[in-house]
Amino acid sequence: MSGIEDPDDELSVTPPKQWATGVPAVAHALEYSLEQTSLRRTALTLLNINQAKGFDCPGCAWPEPAPGKRHLNEYCENGAKHIADEATSRRITADFFREHSIAKLDTRSDYWLNQQGRLTEPMIKRSGGTHYEPIGWDEALEVLARELRLLDSPDEALFYTSGRLNNEAAFLLQLFARAYGTNNLPDCSNMCHESSGSALQETLGIGKGSVSLDDIHHSDLIFVVGQNPGTNHPRMLTALEETKRNGGRIIAVNPLPEAGLIRFKHPQKPRGVIGRGTKIADEFLQIRPGGDLALFQALNLLLLEAEDAAPGSVLDHSFIDASTTGFTEFAEQTRKVSWDAVSEATGLDRAQIERVHEMVLESRSVIVCWAMGLTQHKHGVPTIREVVNFLLLRGNLGRPGAGVCPVRGHSNVQGDRTMGVWERMPQPFLDALGREFGFTPPSRHGLDSVDGIRAMRDGRAKVFLGVAGNFVRATPDSEVTEAAMRGCRLTAHISTKLNRSHTVCGDTALILPTLGRSDRDTQATGVQFFTVEDSMSEVHASRGRLAPASPHLLSEVAIISRLARRVLGHTPAIPWEDFEADYGTVRDRISRVVPGFEDFNARVAQPGGFRLPNPVNEGVFRTPSGKAVFTCNELTMPSVPDGHLLLQTLRSHDQWNTIPYALNDRYRGIHNARRVVLVNPADLARLGLADHDLVDLISLWHDGRERRAEDFRVVAYPTPPGSAASYYPETNVLVPLDSVADISNTPTSKAVLVRLEAATGAAR
Ligand SMILES: Nc1nc2c(c(=O)[nH]1)N[C@H]1C(S)=C(S)[C@@H](COP(=O)(O)OP(=O)(O)OC[C@H]3O[C@@H](n4cnc5c(=O)[nH]c(N)nc54)[C@H](O)[C@@H]3O)O[C@H]1N2
Ligand SMILES: Nc1nc2c(c(=O)[nH]1)N[C@H]1C(S)=C(S)[C@@H](COP(=O)(O)OP(=O)(O)OC[C@H]3O[C@@H](n4cnc5c(=O)[nH]c(N)nc54)[C@H](O)[C@@H]3O)O[C@H]1N2
Ligand code: SF4
Ligand SMILES: [Mo]
């Protein structure tokens, strides 16, 4: 398998931290930035992150406060690291590729590949070649266009995107794919919040969150479930601090005692510098992985019983009667919930769940926030449906301080979906697109990420274009996926930095380097900006300010427009040249195709942009019945055979998805190593292992194939008995391709059955 790690065996372990984001955090961010670039570029970038006239942080999708309420430093430690990683002064030139064969590059770690700097010119690996070599833009795009034209069917091509892509480029990419003739638009959402989209669409009629930042600030009670905000959405902690200042309370539900959930020190306030900061969680439920469905069923049972005891005082009957369906069946099933099953699934005391229930009763408004700890389970969709049941019971939707809050990952992952990047976009969208551009978009559904891998593996997909991501590392079952990618006739990537998807490539391969968020984007009509949509449906402009990393870079909009022209030929109804010259013309088209974007150019010119309407907040549910839907969800838990552990694969504090920035995970006390597996001390004793032992992880799946991740150090850690945790993407090799969430088809990255075996050290 590719990516034999550069040595990383200097592991040292300190106790997990009790607090997140204090002064050391700022120092760490500056240190990374100054390592990557000059003081001047550091200052320029940091002053422009998340400012009304600057660029959107390329990190997570947490929203900025309204323009008048922004600090000069409206970013977090990790946002500063993401920017520094992009604004680095290091460059990869043609010489670099002459010196390093692709086979050689493939032995280097993901960390090393990323540290080589920004890509600067288009490169090609020709069929049978061993190295990437320079190629002009025209020829590169012609190579790709020719392969696309030669396919027997447009459905043999895949167009993958991550949520880094901006709205304008995303809109053009899906327009191009559909005009070419396919809905094969897999994206990172398939592996991320797809379970949220599936559950919310079915129950509330829209696959997005309903709350605003203001709702967070003024909620009485917020659940933070399956989420590690101290690392992954750091400025969410600032918002939760404000909730607490306003008298609200927080409940954290997580198998791990994550630092940010316990205590928070604000890095930009004197109180954060001295003092102990704010205690975040009023109640911490250290749940067994996968136990959340049982937890919310138990809370729902308690609410029904409290209503029985004091009729008319607990449930919001007028809301339930007027705006929902399915209550009777749901209530009937919920009354059968057994406390033995709840205790088995959650590992929690009944008394603690009852305490939380009391807090719910005391709260007029409740929000549930969640992320990958809920979505990446086999029963992720039913779990989120049960969260919706919980909120519906007391009418906690469409009111101030109440609602659903799936906290999205990539900065524009929500926007990409709004723009039509989805393999199963609803027919009304396709009709509007076809009307605007004078063609008939295909209506058969396309392939998502998992089905896309199957199609490449089986020779049904032959050309792969990836935009703004690292498909081969983000996806499960690394050995299977790598073979699938290598089997393609052509793989091409529009990227800013070198990654594994460039070294694990098809017969012919292209690297198409592009501008990043912080780079100035100049086209024929002048300097351009683009737009993004955050996790709370706020749409705003982003303007890069730095001199581009190389004069040979094209923007994503330019690359996609030029490719489309070559593939589709002359299309009078789709003026690709105009789109490239003036992104405002793309926004004009978006305003005519995508609901909620009327008058887009004028509204996005306002400082801070605008918020898309969410019908749920107007009491409108776009479900077939026109009402919100109570659902009945069967309690299921993965069964863990003797001698096995349930492994979750998660992010360290020092990485951006597939890209490690360093080998530390400061808040969890792990230093200088990523190949570690966190295990409960009681399990270690039971398995005859000791802290720091070297083990292989072997996953269990019914296809009998051996999936092994070699040479991990065991770290004794307070994870619930029977479970373990380790970093992604090193452990993706263990996640079977067919182990997916029901309905959403999301890989079960938080529930992999593994056993640990003493390592032979053969990989070293
Ligand atoms: N710095 C940084 N920021 C990021 C990213 C990054 O890589 N680095 N990635 C971005 C992206 S794309 C995303 S999607 C988000 C991801 O944000 P998160 O979802 O916070 O990311 P994970 O590291 O996957 O952490 C999952 C959390 O869920 C918990 N968990 C696991 N299983 C369960 C369970 O069964 N029940 C409960 N209740 N909890 C569980 C884990 O202990 C962990 O705290 O972050 C975004 N922000
Ligand atoms: N086991 C396991 N697997 C997982 C997960 C997990 O928790 N566990 N999480 C899943 C989740 S939530 C997600 S979202 C996926 C993430 O998967 P992806 O989104 O595919 O991966 P990233 O690591 O975000 O992609 C990084 C690459 O994006 C490119 N890039 C960065 N900025 C830009 C830009 O501005 N433009 C362009 N064109 N390119 C750019 C760079 O070349 C960089 O190498 O992984 C999923 N996989
Ligand atoms: S919270 Fe997210 S969007 Fe905000 S600065 Fe930090 S990484 Fe960037
Ligand atoms: Mo994600």
Side-chain angles (χ1 to χ4, degrees):
M1 228 213 16
S2 47
I4 297 172
E5 299 296 307
D6 295 312
D8 102 14
D9 196 22
E10 301 295 318
L11 169 67
S12 73
V13 179
T14 51
K17 289 261 184 294
Q18 296 287 308
W19 47 263
T21 325
V23 167
V26 177
H28 281 282
L30 282 177
E31 193 184 315
Y32 190 69
S33 188
L34 291 171
E35 242 172 66
Q36 298 291 325
T37 186
S38 66
L39 186 58
R40 195 185 114 75
R41 260 172 97 88
T42 297
L44 247 179
T45 48
L46 296 186
L47 279 175
N48 276 296
I49 304 188
N50 292 339
Q51 297 304 318
K53 294 200 165 143
F55 53 84
D56 181 62
C57 172
C60 74
W62 189 255
E64 282 81 58
K69 295 189 184 162
R70 286 184 201 171
H71 299 281
L72 189 56
N73 297 326
E74 198 54 69
Y75 57 86
C76 70
E77 170 199 4
N78 278 344
K81 281 195 277 182
H82 305 321
I83 272 293
D85 192 68
E86 177 182 296
T88 178
S89 303
R90 299 179 191 169
R91 297 288 177 271
I92 295 187
T93 60
D95 284 345
F96 171 89
F97 288 110
R98 240 190 314 277
E99 276 164 33
H100 298 85
S101 70
I102 297 172
K104 181 83 205 321
L105 288 174
D106 200 35
T107 64
R108 305 314 300 255
S109 67
D110 298 305
Y111 168 77
W112 188 91
L113 294 176
N114 179 60
Q115 286 295 317
Q116 304 314 304
R118 286 286 295 274
L119 296 161
T120 53
E121 58 179 306
M123 305 295 297
I124 185 168
K125 169 194 146 356
R126 297 190 191 272
S127 173
T130 55
H131 289 68
Y132 276 106
E133 46 187 275
I135 183 172
W137 274 108
D138 284 346
E139 200 200 329
L141 294 175
E142 188 49 37
V143 168
L144 176 50
R146 194 171 51 232
E147 289 294 343
L148 288 171
R149 284 192 305 257
L150 281 175
L151 291 176
D152 289 335
S153 150
D155 288 334
E156 291 179 347
L158 298 172
F159 299 95
Y160 172 73
T161 55
S162 94
R164 269 273 169 115
L165 199 61
N166 59 71
N167 283 333
E168 288 75 1
F171 183 79
L172 294 184
L173 182 76
Q174 62 83 34
L175 170 62
F176 163 57
R178 292 183 167 121
Y180 168 66
T182 185
N183 282 310
N184 285 350
L185 288 155
D187 67 352
C188 69
S189 268
N190 298 146
M191 296 169 276
C192 185
H193 266 293
E194 198 69 62
S195 302
S196 310
S198 303
L200 296 177
Q201 186 72 45
E202 178 189 344
T203 54
L204 301 179
I206 176 170
K208 294 185 183 184
S210 67
V211 307
S212 68
L213 202 49
D214 218 42
D215 290 321
I216 297 278
H217 292 160
H218 295 105
S219 181
D220 293 338
L221 187 64
I222 299 184
F223 285 74
V224 181
V225 192
Q227 206 202 331
N228 178 22
T231 284
N232 296 316
H233 303 92
R235 279 173 52 264
M236 179 173 178
L237 298 182
T238 316
L240 295 178
E241 196 188 29
E242 169 116 23
T243 313
K244 301 215 60 165
R245 225 185 352 261
N246 293 334
R249 290 186 288 183
I250 317 281
I251 293 168
V253 186
N254 203 300
L256 301 181
E258 306 283 32
L261 297 175
I262 299 173
R263 206 163 260 290
F264 171 57
K265 291 188 188 182
H266 198 303
Q268 284 149 10
K269 296 236 176 87
R271 199 163 26 84
V273 178
I274 27 178
R276 303 192 59 226
T278 310
K279 179 172 177 269
I280 292 286
D282 295 273
E283 197 70 55
F284 169 49
L285 304 182
Q286 188 165 18
I287 197 165
R288 285 205 177 122
D292 308 83
L293 173 53
L295 170 66
F296 281 95
Q297 286 184 328
L299 288 170
N300 290 340
L301 173 64
L302 290 172
L303 288 175
L304 292 176
E305 289 176 350
E307 173 72 16
D308 294 344
S313 70
V314 174
L315 305 187
D316 186 339
H317 285 290
S318 57
F319 175 78
I320 293 173
D321 294 346
S323 304
T324 72
T325 61
F327 173 74
T328 312
E329 298 79 357
F330 154 78
E332 200 177 310
Q333 176 171 327
T334 302
R335 288 180 192 285
K336 295 185 198 143
V337 167
S338 108
W339 278 100
D340 284 346
V342 169
S343 136
E344 169 77 23
T346 61
L348 299 170
D349 278 354
R350 179 167 177 169
Q352 195 182 20
I353 300 178
E354 283 175 345
R355 234 173 14 248
V356 170
H357 163 70
E358 290 300 324
M359 290 164 77
V360 175
L361 291 183
E362 289 157 14
S363 305
R364 169 86 187 102
S365 55
V366 179
I367 290 174
V368 183
C369 301
W370 71 89
M372 298 304 99
L374 290 198
T375 62
Q376 296 175 336
H377 280 283
K378 183 167 193 313
H379 53 300
V381 176
T383 302
I384 296 162
R385 288 198 299 227
E386 197 64 30
V387 167
V388 172
N389 288 338
F390 168 70
L391 292 169
L392 291 177
L393 280 176
R394 284 170 59 83
N396 273 308
L397 276 160
R399 291 200 269 107
V404 283
C405 184
V407 183
R408 308 297 303 250
H410 275 283
S411 53
N412 195 41
V413 64
Q414 186 160 315
D416 289 352
R417 272 293 162 91
T418 310
M419 291 298 118
V421 172
W422 193 21
E423 74 282 353
R424 46 184 66 222
M425 229 29 215
Q427 196 57 42
F429 178 95
L430 298 177
D431 292 342
L433 189 72
R435 263 196 313 276
E436 178 66 21
F437 295 104
F439 73 105
T440 308
S443 52
R444 65 191 172 281
H445 288 171
L447 299 172
D448 65 8
S449 293
V450 164
D451 287 337
I453 295 166
R454 291 180 176 134
M456 288 190 281
R457 177 195 62 191
D458 302 341
R460 285 179 285 116
K462 301 183 172 115
V463 173
F464 178 97
L465 173 64
V467 191
N470 184 7
F471 187 79
V472 87
R473 283 310 253 163
T475 42
D477 229 346
S478 309
E479 284 185 10
V480 175
T481 304
E482 289 180 13
M485 290 286 276
R486 290 190 205 278
C488 284
R489 288 178 54 86
L490 175 104
T491 54
H493 290 90
I494 302 179
S495 320
T496 51
K497 307 274 302 266
L498 189 63
N499 65 40
R500 184 72 52 210
S501 299
H502 305 121
T503 70
V504 176
C505 53
D507 184 39
T508 302
L510 289 164
I511 297 179
L512 307 171
T514 191
L515 299 173
R517 282 277 164 90
S518 51
D519 293 322
R520 195 166 46 241
D521 183 349
T522 313
Q523 302 296 342
T525 61
V527 177
Q528 306 295 310
F529 67 88
F530 55 71
T531 62
V532 293
E533 173 188 342
D534 64 31
S535 206
M536 294 181 181
S537 305
E538 302 276 356
V539 179
H540 63 266
S542 176
R543 293 176 180 79
R545 293 295 170 122
L546 298 183
S550 144
H552 308 299
L553 301 182
L554 291 181
S555 73
E556 287 141 339
V557 166
I559 298 170
I560 294 163
S561 300
R562 290 184 193 188
L563 175 66
R565 266 157 61 199
R566 278 178 192 273
V567 176
L568 304 175
H570 184 56
T571 50
I574 316 183
W576 297 103
E577 284 103 327
D578 296 353
F579 292 160
E580 177 178 342
D582 177 0
Y583 299 178
T585 62
V586 185
R587 285 187 287 276
D588 282 339
R589 301 308 187 104
I590 293 171
S591 70
R592 293 208 285 270
V593 173
V594 188
F597 283 81
E598 298 74 21
D599 215 8
F600 190 5
N601 272 308
R603 284 156 76 212
V604 84
Q606 304 302 315
F610 60 96
R611 184 160 190 231
L612 291 172
N614 185 319
V616 167
N617 291 331
E618 271 93 65
V620 175
F621 299 98
R622 298 222 173 105
T623 57
S625 63
K627 296 188 171 186
V629 182
F630 276 100
T631 52
C632 295
N633 303 298
E634 204 69 52
L635 173 55
T636 51
M637 281 293 283
S639 74
V640 183
D642 245 14
H644 285 73
L645 298 170
L646 192 63
L647 176 81
Q648 63 151 319
T649 61
L650 41 49
R651 293 154 174 79
S652 79
H653 192 66
D654 264 333
Q655 74 184 77
W656 174 258
N657 293 327
T658 63
I659 311 293
Y661 292 156
L663 304 179
N664 302 322
D665 194 6
R666 203 168 74 243
Y667 294 155
R668 298 196 186 103
I670 309 292
H671 309 276
N672 297 318
R674 286 183 54 85
R675 295 181 84 83
V676 294
V677 54
L678 314 183
V679 184
N680 183 287
D683 286 322
L684 284 186
R686 193 168 52 83
L687 298 170
L689 290 167
D691 202 11
H692 286 44
D693 273 1
L694 194 63
V695 296
D696 289 353
L697 278 52
I698 299 114
S699 74
L700 181 71
W701 188 248
H702 47 66
D703 62 0
R705 183 190 175 110
E706 186 183 271
R707 294 175 175 82
R708 181 182 287 261
E710 286 168 324
D711 292 347
F712 281 63
R713 290 272 167 208
V714 168
V715 173
Y717 201 84
T719 177
S723 67
S726 193
Y727 300 126
Y728 128 80
E730 287 83 350
T731 44
N732 285 36
V733 63
L734 298 171
V735 188
L737 185 63
D738 294 336
S739 178
V740 290
D742 298 335
I743 303 168
S744 66
N745 217 24
T746 296
T748 60
S749 304
K750 296 292 185 274
V752 188
L753 283 178
V754 296
R755 66 189 161 81
L756 311 183
E757 201 174 81
T760 57
R764 286 189 177 245

